[in-house]
Amino acid sequence: MTFEDLPTAWQGFLQACNSCKNCDLHQSRDQVVVYRGSLAAPLMIIGEGPGREEDKLGKPFVGRSGRLLDDALLALEFSEEDFHICNIVKCRPPENRTPTEEEAKACRRLLNAQFALVKPRVILLCGSTAYRYFTGSKEPISRVRGQWIEQKSFYIMPTFHPAYILRNMSKRAELWSDLLAVREKLVELGFKAPLSKPLCPEKDQA
Ligand code: URA
């Protein structure tokens, strides 16, 4: 979809993102990384911040960890209409460092505006940084992953970051289990049909 084809509210939002100088990250960015997937989606997937590939291409999760995430989403029969992928911060932190609390705070107004446009019912928080900055809790991700947090009319599922899974393949089953729980929640809420065939974990996760 070209910029002109976007709804007016989205055009205004993207302009606000592209001209944002709310923190110092704007100085070193190549591109502001806002989203990929559907404009309105029942599922919002939130990562930490853009890496080198994302900064270059202007889309979130397009590097190695994005491929791992996409493979799992595909195997679980998610389609692009089902999700909207974004990050806690929209500009790449230098050297891929973790965004600071100030940077996350500076970006929160835009994330809130994005949330209001997308209107998700289910939120998948990928990794400890997304979990901490989105919920304000400092609990370790290993303790909270896989457990639903219910808030007003939406459901939050914290899980491991795909980049962590790339470094710790033994934790892959946990990510898959959390994604499956998300999928089942979307079925329960009437947004998705059940899986067309049972998952075969050994084969799909090999
Ligand atoms: N890691 C993230 O958290 N987000 C991206 O967009 C890419 C890698």
Side-chain angles (χ1 to χ4, degrees):
M1 198 186 286
T2 64
F3 182 80
E4 287 68 33
D5 294 330
L6 289 169
T8 321
W10 270 97
Q11 291 187 0
F13 173 66
L14 287 183
Q15 275 162 346
C17 293
N18 287 328
S19 59
C20 180
K21 293 186 176 165
N22 287 347
C23 78
D24 285 347
L25 292 182
H26 78 274
Q27 288 170 355
S28 51
R29 74 184 174 215
D30 247 352
Q31 300 201 53
V32 181
V33 176
V34 184
Y35 81 99
R36 73 178 168 92
S38 188
L39 292 180
L43 171 62
M44 192 165 197
I45 300 176
I46 308 181
E48 178 175 315
R52 186 197 303 276
E53 293 290 304
E54 289 76 20
D55 182 54
K56 210 173 350 154
L57 297 174
K59 284 187 193 298
F61 282 103
V62 288
R64 279 184 73 217
S65 52
R67 280 193 288 281
L68 185 142
L69 180 65
D70 282 351
D71 287 348
L73 290 171
L74 192 67
L76 288 164
E77 300 175 1
F78 283 93
S79 73
E80 285 241 326
E81 285 86 66
D82 299 324
F83 56 77
H84 178 98
I85 307 186
C86 59
N87 282 306
I88 289 290
V89 294
K90 293 180 169 34
C91 300
R92 182 188 181 210
E95 315 300 331
N96 289 353
R97 64 161 169 74
T98 305
T100 64
E101 197 163 343
E102 289 67 36
E103 289 159 355
K105 268 198 194 136
C107 224
R108 186 63 191 235
R109 219 156 29 96
L110 289 174
L111 186 59
N112 287 349
Q114 193 163 3
F115 197 88
L117 286 168
V118 178
K119 298 189 178 60
R121 293 292 309 283
V122 180
I123 299 135
L124 179 73
L125 297 176
C126 293
S128 55
T129 304
Y131 172 70
R132 178 153 50 98
Y133 290 144
F134 193 82
T135 66
S137 163
K138 292 197 168 131
E139 288 269 309
I141 191 74
S142 54
R143 195 170 309 152
V144 295
R145 65 137 284 275
Q147 294 169 50
W148 285 111
I149 303 164
E150 281 190 48
Q151 239 176 48
K152 296 182 198 151
S153 60
F154 48 89
Y155 300 84
I156 301 170
M157 171 59 72
T159 193
F160 289 131
H161 194 287
Y164 171 78
I165 303 298
L166 285 172
R167 297 189 304 271
N168 300 274
M169 280 303 198
S170 64
K171 301 284 183 202
R172 191 167 36 179
E174 279 92 330
L175 174 66
W176 275 69
S177 154
D178 300 346
L179 285 171
L180 188 58
V182 162
R183 196 173 186 309
E184 282 165 356
K185 181 62 78 184
L186 292 177
V187 173
E188 187 188 312
L189 295 172
F191 291 108
K192 291 264 329 149
L195 281 169
S196 64
K197 54 182 183 339
L199 272 186
C200 175
E202 289 83 32
K203 182 169 158 280
D204 289 333
Q205 295 180 37

